[in-house]
């Protein structure tokens, strides 16, 4: 059952990406779509409070299908309200970390959620205490026919379910076990003061996340280095706190896994998604086998930039001399809708609705959450948070988050509440499929050699950032979890050493690992959600296979299968859902295919750089005609 969720065309790029004040509201959330006022929020809050004794009254009575169905119906009504309550507070807080109303409502709903979890903790232990014969009978009964897959999952959880008393106690402890992330979040966003650097023109610039990303692309290497060193130095003040919070988080993960009788935090995380361990193992092993292609790419950067070694601050500087003009949001919208046309008219209509109805909060503001995400509740439309800068990466991020949003829309239209969630393993397929399609469209529309080169590099960076980098993060996670499970500590120095060692392994001999790069781990909030990041890599491989099928299938069956996948939600395990979409993730082949594609792209980059007389080619030329968008 669904648990409560906390929960280029150059000719177009002629205007500023920033709106006028009159137009800006069109690109801001309207949280009143959830609750028009705090009064309505409090009404649902009270309704949830009132429902808790009624839910608790079912304890000890779950022995017939009719009673269980009544409990499930009341539980769903309550959980849907709780989901909206949490969403409202969460969104207000992410718009402004210092919003006192959001903090107050967030604290109230967090306490209410813990109370709800404790009051409903009896459900699964009580069901699992029933004889197997009774569970099978319930699974096939008419009143519970909508929950048949739930009962299948429930029976798989039986070895890891505790007694009623233990489940109640664990439910009460869960907020405290997750407190490390809250402390880190406040340290990294609320207390952290970004440093400033002086630009070559004498202007002082504050290194916010978006500014820092832009500065790492600066053509003046001295300036890139200064920005990198200032940012790295600024993290010294919080690295001890970050090490302590990460250590506490990993300990909590391993404790939870141990209590649930899993052999490790990794095993518990994989089981939560019904993902076999060989999927994780195949991913790591395949990526390790294909590290030479990444090493070649770094070496190409070194030669193209005329450097002795590539430092961290050289990994993002464009290899295209012509600067790219900022992309206005309206242009980004047009490009995305054109690029996603292979998914059909109904998909495009839903994307248009997202823009029309203010599902997106687009621009960065002080104290706003950094980065981007999509969220929502079953009874609301999706909400997409962005920090749009006008870059190509910003456009791709918008397409990515719209993929998540459309996945939710299709699923919520087709599935009941208890199957409306998505495993991250499948959710990231919908988002990265949009990126593949948009990059393919932009590459085909490019008119000049410079545009094609830029988009070729973007495809390479897509795989580097979403697969190679996320697998490196996953290796780091596995290392720190193994260390803690075996009784080790996680000091800042130990974490720095682990991180720096992985950077050297992944980027190869052409890369110079600066000491400042060792603190990269403390910038990754996903480490507080154990073994989350590997799913970006597996999803990229799966979406690459799906998009390849969509582009080569003239019958429309590939698009039909993909739409069925979007509608399926959590109605089956993610491996089976992807198999129905035509991808077998228990095989290493999808990962191998996208990594071979990376190698092809690197060879093509070498050819294009050589043809433009940037640097002499030292790599064997490969005929890639027709493969760039495969």
């Amino acid at each position: 059952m669904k648990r409560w969720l906390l929960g280029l065309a150059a000719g177009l790029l002629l205007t500023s990406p920033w709106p006028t004040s009159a137009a800006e509201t069109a690109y801001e959330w309207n949280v009143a779509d959830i609750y028009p006022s705090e009064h309505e929020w409090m009404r649902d809050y009270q309704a949830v409070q009132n429902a808790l004794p009624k839910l608790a009254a079912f304890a000890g009575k779950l022995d017939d299908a009719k009673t269980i169905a009544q409990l499930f119906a009341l539980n769903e009504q309550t959980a849907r309200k709780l989901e909206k309550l949490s969403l409202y507070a969460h969104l207000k807080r992410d718009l402004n970390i210092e919003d006192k109303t959001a903090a107050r409502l967030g604290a109230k709903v967090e306490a209410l959620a813990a109370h709800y979890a404790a009051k409903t903790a009896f459900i699964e232990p009580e069901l699992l205490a029933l004889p197997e014969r009774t569970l099978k009978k319930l699974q096939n009964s008419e009143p519970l026919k909508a929950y048949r897959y739930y009962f299948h999952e429930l029976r798989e959880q039986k070895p890891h379910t505790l007694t009623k008393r233990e489940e109640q106690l664990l439910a009460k402890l869960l907020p405290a076990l997750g407190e490390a992330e809250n402390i880190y979040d406040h340290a990294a966003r609320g207390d952290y003061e970004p440093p400033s650097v002086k630009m070559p023109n004498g202007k002082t610039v504050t290194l916010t996340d978006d500014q820092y990303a832009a500065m790492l692309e600066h053509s003046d290497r001295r300036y890139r280095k200064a920005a990198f060193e200032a940012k790295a130095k600024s993290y010294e003040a919080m690295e001890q706190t970050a090490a302590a919070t990460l250590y506490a988080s990993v300990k909590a993960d391993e404790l939870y896994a141990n209590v649930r009788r899993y052999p490790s935090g990794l095993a518990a995380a994989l089981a939560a998604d019904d993902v076999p361990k060989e999927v994780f193992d195949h991913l790591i092993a395949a990526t390790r086998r294909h590290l030479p292609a990444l090493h070649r790419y770094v070496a190409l950067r070194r030669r193209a930039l005329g450097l002795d070694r590539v430092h961290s601050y050289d990994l993002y500087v464009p290899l295209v001399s012509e600067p790219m003009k900022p992309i206005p949001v309206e242009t980004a919208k047009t490009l995305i809708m054109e690029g996603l046309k292979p998914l059909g008219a109904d998909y495009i209509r839903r994307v248009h609705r997202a823009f029309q109805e203010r599902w997106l909060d687009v621009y960065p503001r002080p104290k706003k959450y950094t980065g981007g995400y999509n969220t929502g509740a079953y009874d609301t439309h999706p909400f997409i948070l962005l920090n749009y800068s006008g870059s190509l990466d910003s456009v791709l991020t918008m397409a990515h988050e719209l993929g998540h949003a459309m996945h939710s829309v299709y699923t919520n239209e087709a599935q009941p509440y208890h199957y409306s969630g998505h495993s991250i393993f499948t959710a990231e397929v919908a988002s990265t499929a949009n990126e593949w399609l948009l990059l393919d469209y932009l590459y085909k529309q490019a008119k000049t050699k410079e545009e094609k080169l830029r988009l070729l590099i973007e495809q390479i960076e897509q795989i580097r950032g979403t697969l190679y980098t996320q697998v490196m993060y996953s290796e780091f996670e596995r290392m720190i979890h193994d260390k803690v499970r075996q009784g080790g500590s996680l000091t800042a120095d130990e974490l720095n050493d682990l991180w720096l060692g992985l950077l050297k392994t992944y980027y190869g001999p052409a890369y110079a690992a600066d000491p400042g790069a060792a603190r990269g781990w403390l910038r990754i909030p996903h480490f507080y959600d154990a073994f989350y990041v590997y799913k970006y890599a597996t999803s990229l491989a799966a979406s690459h296979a799906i998009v390849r099928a969509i582009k080569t299938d003239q019958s429309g069956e590939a698009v039909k299968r993909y739409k069925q996948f979007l509608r399926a939600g959590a109605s089956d395990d993610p491996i089976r859902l992807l198999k129905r979409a035509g991808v077998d993730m228990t095989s290493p082949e999808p990962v191998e295919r996208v990594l071979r594609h990376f190698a092809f792209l690197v060879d093509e980059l070498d050819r294009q750089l050589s043809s433009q007389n940037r640097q002499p080619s030292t790599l064997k030329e490969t005929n890639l005609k027709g493969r760039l968008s495969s």
Side-chain angles (χ1 to χ4, degrees):
M1 182 182 296
K2 177 176 177 179
R3 291 188 180 273
W4 171 67
L5 299 176
L6 280 178
L8 287 154
L12 295 175
L13 312 180
L14 299 177
T15 60
S16 165
W18 308 112
T20 63
S21 57
E24 191 167 356
T25 302
Y27 292 108
E28 292 181 356
W29 283 335
N30 180 18
V31 294
D33 287 350
I34 311 171
Y35 291 107
S37 70
E38 190 175 335
H39 174 74
E40 281 79 7
W41 189 93
M42 285 302 303
R43 185 172 58 193
D44 269 1
Y45 178 88
Q46 189 60 53
V48 172
Q49 280 193 319
N50 294 342
L52 296 186
K54 299 176 184 177
L55 286 168
F58 280 90
K61 301 175 183 176
L62 302 186
D63 53 8
D64 68 274
K66 183 177 178 181
T67 300
I68 294 168
Q70 290 172 347
L71 167 62
F72 283 1
L74 178 59
N75 194 34
E76 176 178 320
Q77 294 169 14
T78 307
R80 286 167 69 166
K81 286 184 172 62
L82 193 52
E83 190 178 56
K84 284 182 65 180
L85 292 168
S86 174
L87 180 68
Y88 184 79
H90 169 73
L91 296 188
K92 285 178 69 67
R93 179 175 177 268
D94 279 358
L95 291 176
N96 180 3
I97 188 65
E98 295 181 351
D99 186 322
K100 291 182 172 57
T101 299
R104 175 171 52 81
L105 296 182
K108 285 176 70 69
V109 74
E110 184 176 315
L112 182 62
H115 196 31
Y116 163 80
K119 291 292 186 182
T120 56
F122 71 91
I123 298 174
E124 290 188 359
E126 193 166 319
L127 289 173
L128 286 168
L130 297 171
E132 177 67 13
R133 185 176 178 180
T134 304
L135 280 176
K136 284 184 178 180
K137 184 178 179 181
L138 291 171
Q139 185 174 358
N140 295 315
S141 67
E142 184 64 23
L144 296 171
K145 66 180 180 180
Y147 297 92
R148 283 174 186 167
Y149 179 64
Y150 163 73
F151 277 96
H152 165 77
E153 285 188 307
L154 185 69
R155 287 156 62 190
E156 286 189 345
Q157 295 170 16
K158 191 163 187 173
H160 309 288
T161 303
L162 309 179
T163 66
K164 175 182 174 181
R165 172 61 180 158
E166 288 169 338
E167 289 287 350
Q168 289 174 332
L169 180 60
L170 187 58
K172 290 178 181 178
L173 287 174
L174 282 177
L177 292 177
E179 194 59 28
E181 182 177 7
N182 291 332
I183 297 169
Y184 166 82
D185 200 27
H186 280 281
R189 288 205 290 134
D191 298 336
Y192 174 73
E193 290 293 335
S196 298
V197 294
K198 187 173 287 187
M199 294 178 68
N201 62 7
K203 181 181 178 182
T204 298
V205 176
T206 301
L207 291 177
T208 58
D209 284 349
D210 57 317
Q211 285 287 359
Y212 179 57
M215 290 169 191
L216 289 182
E217 298 179 359
H218 201 280
S219 59
D220 189 325
R221 195 183 193 213
R222 294 169 301 174
Y223 179 53
R224 298 198 305 269
K225 181 179 180 182
F228 172 80
E229 290 180 344
K231 194 73 168 176
K233 181 71 175 175
S234 72
Y235 287 125
E236 278 190 33
M238 62 174 286
E239 71 172 350
Q240 299 300 330
T241 299
T245 57
L246 185 56
Y247 182 35
S249 180
V250 173
K251 281 198 297 184
D253 292 335
E254 292 299 327
L255 172 63
Y256 181 84
N258 183 263
V259 168
R260 290 279 186 204
R261 296 187 287 272
Y262 289 103
S264 66
L266 173 60
L270 293 171
D273 284 327
D274 292 319
V275 172
K277 188 173 182 292
E278 59 261 32
V279 172
F280 187 89
D281 292 340
H282 286 328
L283 174 67
I284 302 293
T287 305
R288 283 276 181 161
R289 285 193 296 271
H290 287 266
L291 284 180
L294 181 57
H295 296 171
R296 293 206 313 275
Y297 174 56
V298 176
L300 261 181
R301 277 194 156 270
R302 179 187 64 189
R303 293 195 296 275
L305 295 170
L307 304 175
D308 176 43
R309 301 280 293 283
V310 173
H311 292 251
S312 292
Y313 45 83
D314 301 317
L315 285 170
Y316 304 96
V317 61
L319 301 183
V320 182
S321 58
E322 178 185 327
M324 186 173 180
K325 297 175 183 177
I327 304 172
V329 168
E330 285 298 322
T331 302
K333 173 184 172 183
T334 299
L335 294 172
I336 289 169
M337 294 180 72
E338 288 296 317
L340 299 183
K341 277 187 175 179
L343 298 180
D346 62 309
Y347 193 98
I348 296 302
R349 281 195 298 271
R350 288 166 169 82
V351 172
H352 181 71
R353 182 184 166 202
F355 285 103
Q356 291 296 106
E357 297 181 4
R358 293 171 58 186
W359 296 7
L360 296 84
D361 196 278
V362 173
Y363 296 104
R365 294 186 294 277
K367 304 301 180 182
K368 178 182 171 181
Y369 188 86
T370 58
Y373 64 69
N374 170 76
T375 189
Y378 189 73
D379 295 307
T380 73
H381 60 70
F383 287 82
I384 297 171
L385 181 138
L386 301 170
N387 282 272
Y388 191 83
S389 67
S391 66
L392 175 58
D393 185 64
S394 287
V395 180
L396 290 168
T397 299
M398 184 182 290
H400 178 105
E401 300 305 339
L402 281 164
H404 285 308
M406 296 306 107
H407 198 179
S408 295
V409 170
Y410 275 99
T411 294
N412 290 354
E413 288 175 356
Q415 297 295 332
Y417 177 74
H418 53 279
Y419 294 147
S420 64
H422 302 122
S423 160
I424 299 302
F425 196 89
T426 55
E428 293 302 328
V429 174
S431 56
T432 54
N434 278 13
E435 293 188 64
W436 286 119
L437 286 166
L438 180 57
L439 281 169
D440 181 51
Y441 170 78
L442 294 175
Y443 191 85
K444 289 175 180 176
Q445 295 298 309
K447 306 298 184 207
T448 68
K449 290 181 179 180
E450 294 289 298
E451 288 178 5
K452 286 184 180 294
L453 182 59
R454 178 182 288 115
L455 288 161
L456 171 62
I457 294 168
E458 188 64 39
Q459 291 184 65
I460 290 172
E461 287 295 330
Q462 164 87 337
I463 301 172
R464 178 171 81 89
T466 310
L467 199 149
Y468 280 109
T469 298
Q470 303 304 327
V471 173
M472 190 193 88
Y473 291 176
S474 300
E475 285 212 59
F476 178 77
E477 276 194 284
R478 185 170 63 179
M479 288 174 177
I480 62 176
H481 276 259
D482 287 349
K483 204 169 191 301
V484 170
R485 191 174 62 258
Q486 294 162 10
S489 62
L490 293 179
T491 66
D493 287 344
E494 289 170 324
L495 292 165
N496 290 346
D497 287 344
L498 288 174
W499 192 262
L500 208 57
L502 284 169
L503 284 174
K504 292 175 182 177
T505 298
Y506 271 70
Y507 287 116
Y511 173 75
D514 298 296
R519 299 188 189 96
W521 56 269
L522 64 78
R523 298 185 62 206
I524 315 300
H526 286 327
F527 289 154
Y528 294 84
D529 189 349
F531 298 99
Y532 179 105
V533 294
Y534 87 92
K535 302 168 198 175
Y536 286 122
T538 53
S539 296
L540 187 75
S543 64
H544 178 260
I546 287 170
V547 169
R548 184 174 180 271
I550 288 172
K551 290 188 299 182
T552 56
D553 173 36
Q554 301 300 315
S555 69
E557 284 301 310
V559 173
K560 183 179 178 181
R561 286 197 305 268
Y562 182 57
K563 296 284 184 63
Q564 289 171 342
F565 165 80
L566 295 179
R567 293 186 179 98
S571 61
D572 206 339
D573 77 57
I575 297 298
R576 282 198 290 265
L577 291 176
L578 284 171
K579 281 184 178 178
R580 290 178 205 156
V583 185
D584 182 5
M585 290 307 299
T586 62
S587 162
E589 180 55 26
V591 177
E592 290 279 355
R593 184 186 290 277
V594 74
L595 288 169
R596 290 196 298 268
H597 183 55
F598 179 85
F600 291 143
L601 294 173
V602 171
D603 288 346
E604 175 66 9
L605 175 63
D606 180 50
R607 188 190 68 75
Q608 289 196 22
L609 290 175
S610 299
S611 70
Q612 297 180 32
N613 296 317
R614 304 204 179 202
Q615 288 290 329
S617 174
T618 60
L619 300 180
K620 181 179 179 181
E621 189 167 319
T622 305
N623 181 8
L624 299 180
K625 185 177 181 181
R627 287 183 170 179
L628 283 177
S629 58
S630 68

